[in-house]
Amino acid sequence: MIDLYTAPTPNGHKISIALEELGLPYTLQVLDLARHQQREPAFLAINPNGRIPAIVDHDADDFAVFESGAILIYLAEKTGRLMPADPQGRSRVLQWLMFQMGGIGPMMGQANVFFRYFPDKIPAVIDRYQGEVRRLFGVLDGHLKDHEYLAGDYSIADIANWAWVRTHRWSGVELDGLPHLKRWRDALRARPAVQRGIEQPPSKIDLARDGDAAAQRFSQEARSVVEMGRAGRTGGAA
């Protein structure tokens, strides 16, 4: 049995989707980031960085893993699925996983901060991050023109990137003119395990569409976590 410490964020949903795809039994431990439960000592003993997601694998002597990319690799290697065993195939998956970890996630995260959460709207900064997100989406679209999935067969690379791309409207970026990325997004969204995974836990709002009053409340809650970071303390979502 695996304990998944998570919250309804793209990085949290990466892991619940992977667990659903792999059919691994797990229990959900949902942290309230607005109440800073990720900073409590019990969780810091699992992840010293105080960010979700993290897992504890009770079938492996209560082994703890933090950082969403590291968790995906651990689960793939544990089961022998969602990542090829041959060196080149494995490398392709890891390249696209690192593309998400180093590009898609950080740039969309910064777009979210300045477009949704930051109290002061700075147009040049918003344009910078939204523009970089759009450029990265173009990289995905160009690759997917000739590939059904990112790295051969469906893999943890697809899961990682999709969990973020599906929330593109929350970052203020549209997918107009990116037909291959849209096709891939829709194909993954149709997978039953993906549908189950994004409900573990369900978001307070639909991050795949733009907002209403609930979205405004969500933004205000998230702002408190972002402003912790501005004050030199750790935020909540990895």
Side-chain angles (χ1 to χ4, degrees), residues 20-79:
E20 292 288 341
E21 290 281 9
L22 294 167
L24 289 170
Y26 67 99
T27 61
L28 209 60
Q29 307 290 338
V30 181
L31 302 185
D32 187 333
L33 304 184
R35 293 174 56 195
H36 313 309
Q37 290 181 338
Q38 70 278 14
R39 299 298 299 165
E40 293 179 357
F43 183 67
L44 291 175
I46 296 168
N47 180 2
N49 196 31
R51 297 165 72 89
I52 65 93
I55 65 169
V56 175
D57 188 350
H58 295 296
D59 296 326
D61 297 323
D62 297 337
F63 185 65
V65 188
F66 63 89
E67 289 295 327
S68 59
I71 298 169
L72 288 174
I73 295 169
Y74 176 82
L75 295 174
E77 292 180 339
K78 175 184 176 73
T79 59

Side-chain angles (χ1 to χ4, degrees), residues 171-209:
S171 300
V173 180
E174 294 298 331
L175 301 188
D176 297 340
L178 301 173
H180 313 294
L181 185 59
K182 285 184 178 180
R183 182 269 308 162
W184 170 86
R185 177 202 61 185
D186 294 344
L188 268 63
R189 185 167 54 194
R191 295 178 68 91
V194 170
Q195 294 172 16
R196 294 192 302 271
I198 59 174
E199 293 298 317
Q200 302 298 325
S203 296
K204 294 180 180 179
I205 60 165
D206 184 356
L207 291 177
R209 65 178 176 83

